[in-house]
Amino acid sequence: MQPEPRYDDARPRGLQVAGVLVIPALCVVLLPVAAWIDMGAPDRGPGVDIAGGPGWPWVVDGVVLGALASVILCHDRKQRFGWVLALFGLFWALDGFSQSYVHAGLTADHAWPGMTFMLWFLDRFASYLTSVVAVLLLVFPTGRFLPGRWTPASWCAVGVLGLSGLLIIVAPAEDEQRSGMLPPGVDQDPTTIHAFAGHGPELVSLGITLGVVGFFFSLLTVVVRYRRSEGLMRDRMRWLLWSVLVIVVSIVVTVVAEVPGADYTGAFLATVLPPAAMTVAIVRPQLVSIQDLLSRTLVLAALVTVLVLADAAVLGLLTLVLDDALTQAQVVTVVLLVAVLLYGPLRSRLSAAVRRLMLGERGNRYDAVAGLASTLETTDDSTEQLSAVARAVASAFGVPFVSVEVDRGHGERLVTTYGERPAQVRTLPITYRDVTIGRLVLPARGLRSRLSVRDEELLGDLVRQAATAARTSQLAEEVQRSRERLVTAREEERRRIRRDLHDGLGPALSGIVFQLEAARMTVERDPARARDQVETVSAQVQEVVADVRRLVHDLRPPALDDRGLVGALRQQAESLDVPLDVVAPEDLRLPAAVEVAAYRIVGEALTNVARHAAASQARLDLAVTDDTLVVELADDGRGIPADRAAGVGLVSLRERAAELGGTTTISSPPDGGTVVRARLPLRSPA
């Protein structure tokens, strides 16, 4: 792949503008001079026969090419393509001027000064026009040859093109008829090498063959450059493709219809249109959507071809049936009727067919979005939903490969693929509420991979549905995991309480009952022993009470009911070696679940500060904003390394907040320390 050239950093300034406009200005100056010379040309004579007509129309080609070159050079004076195009325009202008000069200044008995050079330039040196076109193709659009092994091959091609023109220049004319037309003092072959006498046609044929070889090599480099290009560079190459397509259409039209001035019009179009398209490609390739322009041109080409064939078939059938030739008026009438009857239906159908061929189904935007929405509504499986998204994108844009990747919890990733993955791809993010939740992978090369503004809007509509489906799948999985965790936690808590009651509190109470019964039976005959037994039972009852308090504390810390959340947190911090500054509202009333979650989160965070942070002080802030309790614990310790994986404690902080629909973030500021910030909604999420 070739790097994108920079065109916006070498604009001419001051006198540089005049320097880049010298050649285009010279082309403009030659036009009125050539027109004035042609006005004085005689009606007949050798100059009229040799020139074949006035030369100023060909100077117009040079003026237009020079103007195009000036646009490029004013955009970037270092663009070599612009300089080659300027020389091409000057070449055409001089060729047209020499034709005007020969047209008016060459008669049977006299010739204007310098006629030998002008005749030589018109007949011989103009053979390099095709070579300049080949050089333009070799350096378009970067101004440089293809890199790598293609560079020396391109230089060889330039040498072959130069040799082809040289052979034509030195080949003997061997045209006795023309030599008899020329007045004394005019030499039609000033550069002829007489050693080649008798081999003129062979040399000319060899020169033409070499020129054709060099030209086809330049076309080959265009194909290679197109295949290597992508993105904006490929759009530039498509402008050249569009110009060639227009020329082909114009040739078809001129072949089947008699167009006044078709010879000059066709030559002018073939000479000027490709450089004009190249100029747009270099200066402003996104002036219009080249994809739409290509598709519309293809529709026009197909429409013209079908109409021409239909006209020919109808006219041939009428001629056969009537057994007589049709008049001009009848032919025109038939052509108009065929055009009226076929143009509308053909145009709509051909346009749809061409757009499907080039761009897929992206033109049917509503159908693509509605079809995907219907599929997603009837599919519950997340994998099937993503497969539907991949198929919809591939169908809408006509691309052979689409991959949809969605991130899931615990580092997992769900990937669904349509088609075979090409060598080069590009990745587009899938976002949901400004959060990237996955990726959409498309081919990086190919006409259908280029997206216009309208295409990007369609892709956005499809991707939003993909994001919604992916997010729905994620939420469903998170809800399922949350249910599983809740059920597991509930059953584990029940088993723990049952074990504590069955293995601890139950036997203890049974023992107390037995000892009280024994004391009752011995109190009359041995009061002292009964008193000792009662004292033992009293100690056991105190232990049972402590176990009950422990069970109650595990269910909900009693300090929350005795002291409130702020007091309970201060009491918890008293057992730590790190001084804690607590900042909280005086009257803080919270739901029970939020109090427990905040107490557990701060308790875990304080434990981490005491064990790992090596902090000298900490600060705890509690505030209620927008029906959300914001808890922030900051310390001045060593912080948490960025590459350190989250431990069980840090994970539990996030899970406790997530149980209430909240979030917990843990960060280490640049100036050191750790900040744990939890946001707990005070209302249950809907």
Side-chain angles (χ1 to χ4, degrees):
M1 183 181 67
Q2 301 178 65
E4 289 286 344
R6 294 181 59 87
Y7 297 112
D8 56 350
D9 56 355
R11 296 181 183 273
R13 298 290 187 271
L15 294 177
Q16 293 175 345
V17 177
V20 300
L21 295 179
V22 168
I23 297 178
L26 183 57
C27 297
V28 174
V29 169
L30 289 174
L31 178 58
V33 177
W36 178 74
I37 292 175
D38 282 322
M39 291 175 61
D43 295 334
R44 63 179 61 89
V48 176
D49 296 336
I50 294 174
W56 69 265
W58 308 107
V59 181
V60 172
D61 291 0
V63 172
V64 175
L65 295 173
L68 295 174
S70 66
V71 172
I72 297 176
L73 294 176
C74 287
H75 187 69
D76 180 6
R77 70 180 189 279
K78 298 180 180 179
Q79 171 56 258
R80 299 175 187 173
F81 179 85
W83 288 109
V84 176
L85 183 58
L87 293 175
F88 187 42
L90 181 60
F91 203 157
W92 266 109
L94 291 174
D95 182 71
F97 179 78
S98 65
Q99 182 171 334
S100 298
Y101 198 86
V102 172
H103 182 219
L106 183 61
T107 62
D109 53 357
H110 74 279
W112 288 357
M115 186 57 66
T116 295
F117 174 79
M118 288 298 182
L119 190 60
W120 170 83
F121 190 94
L122 179 63
D123 282 348
R124 300 303 182 92
F125 194 74
S127 61
Y128 278 118
L129 282 172
T130 304
S131 300
V132 179
V133 174
V135 174
L136 283 173
L137 296 176
L138 286 172
V139 300
F140 174 77
T142 62
R144 303 177 183 86
F145 294 137
L146 274 173
R149 292 177 295 178
W150 288 93
T151 297
S154 298
W155 280 114
C156 291
V158 172
V160 168
L161 292 170
L163 179 60
S164 69
L166 181 61
L167 291 175
I168 295 175
I169 288 174
V170 303
E174 299 177 353
D175 188 351
E176 297 296 334
Q177 182 178 0
R178 173 172 290 189
S179 62
M181 296 170 54
L182 301 179
V186 177
D187 185 1
Q188 67 171 339
D189 299 318
T191 56
T192 293
I193 299 178
H194 297 287
F196 296 139
H199 301 285
E202 290 82 356
L203 289 177
V204 172
S205 298
L206 179 59
I208 293 174
T209 301
L210 292 177
V212 170
V213 171
F215 188 81
F216 273 97
F217 177 83
S218 67
L219 293 178
L220 177 61
T221 63
V222 170
V223 174
V224 173
R225 199 186 292 266
Y226 179 84
R227 292 179 61 85
R228 289 184 178 182
S229 64
E230 63 182 43
L232 186 61
M233 181 67 73
R234 176 155 289 196
D235 276 350
R236 290 190 168 102
M237 301 302 298
R238 286 176 184 145
W239 276 99
L240 178 59
L241 174 63
W242 170 80
S243 67
V244 174
L245 182 61
V246 172
I247 292 173
V248 172
V249 174
S250 65
I251 292 175
V252 173
V253 172
T254 55
V255 167
V256 300
E258 294 183 3
V259 180
D263 293 340
Y264 173 73
T265 303
F268 177 81
L269 194 65
T271 302
V272 171
L273 186 59
M278 294 175 179
T279 300
V280 175
I282 291 175
V283 176
R284 191 174 294 181
Q286 297 175 331
L287 179 65
V288 296
S289 173
I290 186 59
Q291 295 179 359
D292 291 341
L293 191 60
L294 271 173
S295 63
R296 293 176 186 273
T297 306
L298 281 174
V299 169
L300 178 61
L303 191 60
V304 169
T305 302
V306 172
L307 287 177
V308 168
L309 294 176
D311 287 333
V314 173
L315 290 174
L317 181 62
L318 289 176
T319 302
L320 181 63
V321 171
L322 298 177
D323 195 20
D324 193 10
L326 299 176
T327 64
Q328 184 70 22
Q330 291 173 334
V331 171
V332 172
T333 302
V334 171
V335 170
L336 290 177
L337 285 175
V338 172
V340 169
L341 293 175
L342 296 182
Y343 178 79
L346 274 176
R347 184 180 182 278
S348 60
R349 286 173 171 76
L350 286 174
S351 178
V354 169
R355 286 193 63 84
R356 283 195 300 270
L357 177 65
M358 295 182 61
L359 305 175
E361 298 290 344
R362 67 187 72 181
N364 301 324
R365 180 170 181 171
Y366 175 79
D367 293 343
V369 176
L372 177 58
S374 176
T375 303
L376 294 179
E377 288 177 358
T378 57
T379 305
D380 295 329
D381 183 71
S382 58
T383 303
E384 287 297 325
Q385 288 181 335
L386 295 183
S387 298
V389 172
R391 290 193 300 270
V393 173
S395 174
F397 293 93
V399 291
F401 169 79
V402 176
S403 178
V404 182
E405 303 175 358
V406 175
D407 297 329
R408 308 177 76 174
H410 307 288
E412 298 179 359
R413 178 179 296 176
L414 181 61
V415 180
T416 181
T417 301
Y418 175 88
E420 185 176 353
R421 188 183 185 96
Q424 297 183 2
V425 296
R426 59 173 174 164
T427 303
L428 303 175
I430 299 177
T431 59
Y432 184 84
R433 295 182 179 179
D434 299 329
V435 177
T436 300
I437 62 172
R439 285 149 296 280
L440 183 68
V441 184
L442 298 173
R445 302 177 63 177
L447 176 62
R448 295 176 175 179
S449 301
R450 293 290 295 159
L451 304 179
S452 64
V453 175
R454 184 176 178 83
D455 296 338
E456 291 177 355
E457 293 175 355
L458 173 59
L459 183 61
D461 293 338
L462 296 176
V463 169
R464 272 191 292 273
Q465 296 195 56
T468 303
R471 185 55 179 165
T472 301
S473 174
Q474 288 180 342
L475 292 176
E477 292 175 358
E478 291 176 4
V479 168
Q480 181 62 31
R481 286 196 296 267
S482 297
R483 289 175 177 174
E484 293 173 357
R485 287 197 300 267
L486 287 174
V487 171
T488 301
R490 183 189 65 191
E491 295 304 322
E492 288 292 335
E493 187 70 10
R494 286 179 175 179
R495 183 167 62 179
R496 184 185 64 82
I497 294 174
R498 178 185 180 280
R499 184 175 59 249
D500 290 344
L501 293 176
H502 182 272
D503 298 341
L505 192 58
L509 292 176
S510 298
I512 290 173
V513 171
F514 289 137
Q515 292 187 37
L516 286 176
E517 184 65 23
R520 184 182 65 80
M521 296 175 63
T522 60
V523 67
E524 294 181 355
R525 67 174 181 268
D526 193 352
R529 182 180 177 185
R531 186 169 50 253
D532 293 338
Q533 290 176 335
V534 169
E535 290 178 355
T536 301
V537 169
S538 176
Q540 291 179 350
V541 169
Q542 291 178 359
E543 292 178 358
V544 170
V545 171
D547 288 340
V548 171
R549 287 178 176 174
R550 180 179 58 80
L551 288 173
V552 171
H553 182 275
D554 290 340
L555 295 176
R556 174 177 169 85
L560 290 176
D561 297 324
D562 299 339
R563 299 169 176 259
L565 176 61
V566 177
L569 293 175
R570 286 196 175 100
Q571 181 185 29
Q572 193 176 34
E574 290 175 358
S575 60
L576 302 178
D577 296 334
V578 180
L580 178 66
D581 184 14
V582 180
V583 178
E586 292 294 334
D587 186 15
L588 187 62
R589 298 182 179 274
L590 303 171
V594 175
E595 282 187 335
V596 173
Y599 182 82
R600 301 295 190 193
I601 290 173
V602 174
E604 183 67 34
L606 287 174
T607 301
N608 290 335
V609 171
R611 291 179 179 176
H612 311 295
S616 60
Q617 62 180 1
R619 176 185 174 92
L620 176 63
D621 291 281
L622 290 87
V624 176
T625 58
D626 299 330
D627 290 335
T628 301
L629 174 65
V630 181
V631 181
E632 181 176 297
L633 177 64
D635 64 70
D636 60 352
R638 64 168 62 99
I640 301 176
D643 56 349
R644 179 181 175 183
V648 176
L650 300 181
V651 172
S652 67
L653 296 181
R654 298 189 177 97
E655 290 181 346
R656 289 188 183 278
E659 289 173 355
L660 298 180
T663 60
T664 300
T665 59
I666 305 169
S667 60
S668 295
D671 54 351
T674 303
V675 177
V676 177
R677 181 180 291 104
R679 299 178 61 86
L680 305 175
L682 302 182
R683 296 178 181 178
S684 299

